[in-house]
Amino acid sequence: TLDLIDISLVDFFRLMAEEGGINIVMDPGIKGTLSIKVVKVPWDQIFDAALVNNGLDKQVEGNLVRIARKATLQDEAKQREALKKANLLAADVETRIKRLNYTKAATIEKTLKEQQTVRGTVDIDERTNSLVLTDIPSALDKVIALIESLDIPQPQVEIEARIVSATRDFARD
């Protein structure tokens, strides 16, 4: 039960952290006040309502809750994605040759191209029924695993027949 008038958001979230027994870190850009009157409402529900009401969001990492503006968290997510993409483009490429035993290389080429990164290539050597794969090592491992699961023999059925020839003399013998 709370009855608060014009309490600063920083003080409110400190109160919620104390009440809920959680660790919080607040972005320095959090400003504003909050007025709230609730009776018999769980602290976490009040916490989430205050976040939504003020355009804030939380990021939980282990036992630490980070509170920041939604735009700040979205910008950080975009920066992490851009860094991941830059690391991918900066990684060294590797070339591996995978010989196929049961499948024709041309039939699985399209499937493999969809599994590669932007730096990956698939070339076909029809003479040896092999694939020349170039990509970063982690992507190559996934493509090789996919090839091994696709390059399997077709199920076959063995039919055996015996022809017996019988004449009238056969029964007498």
Side-chain angles (χ1 to χ4, degrees):
T1 301
L2 289 174
D3 188 3
L4 305 170
I5 300 172
D6 290 333
I7 185 171
S8 79
L9 286 174
V10 173
D11 292 337
F12 173 77
F13 287 121
R14 289 178 55 84
L15 174 68
M16 290 291 102
E18 204 171 294
E19 182 66 29
I22 59 172
N23 300 312
I24 62 168
V25 175
M26 288 180 275
D27 189 84
I30 296 177
K31 293 183 180 20
T33 59
L34 176 73
S35 295
I36 188 168
K37 179 172 175 45
V38 292
V39 178
K40 295 183 181 177
V41 178
W43 73 270
D44 56 337
Q45 192 174 355
I46 298 169
F47 186 84
D48 290 339
L51 287 173
V52 171
N53 215 28
N54 291 287
L56 303 172
D57 203 357
K58 65 182 177 186
Q59 187 177 41
V60 180
E61 297 171 10
N63 64 349
L64 185 67
V65 177
R66 181 171 169 241
I67 301 171
R69 299 228 168 266
K70 287 181 181 180
T72 303
L73 293 175
Q74 289 171 346
D75 289 343
E76 289 173 358
K78 287 177 186 175
Q79 289 173 354
R80 277 193 301 272
E81 190 64 34
L83 180 63
K84 187 188 288 186
K85 193 173 187 178
N87 286 339
L88 177 69
L89 292 173
D92 292 334
V93 294
E94 189 177 307
T95 300
R96 295 186 199 168
I97 297 173
K98 180 68 178 164
R99 189 168 193 173
L100 301 175
N101 296 316
Y102 305 105
T103 306
K104 293 285 184 200
T107 60
I108 64 170
E109 179 184 18
K110 182 181 176 193
T111 305
L112 298 178
K113 284 192 178 193
E114 293 174 3
Q115 301 299 318
Q116 294 180 315
T117 63
V118 292
R119 296 185 64 195
T121 61
V122 175
D123 295 318
I124 297 174
D125 181 20
E126 291 183 22
R127 185 180 57 82
T128 60
N129 196 34
S130 299
L131 296 166
V132 180
L133 306 164
T134 303
D135 210 339
I136 61 173
S138 61
L140 274 179
D141 293 337
K142 291 177 185 175
V143 170
I144 295 287
L146 178 63
I147 291 170
E148 289 173 356
S149 66
L150 293 175
D151 189 30
I152 56 173
Q154 290 293 321
Q156 298 179 357
V157 177
E158 182 179 337
I159 299 174
E160 185 177 319
R162 294 186 182 161
I163 299 174
V164 178
S165 154
T167 62
R168 291 181 187 205
D169 296 335
F170 178 78
R172 289 186 201 142
D173 292 343

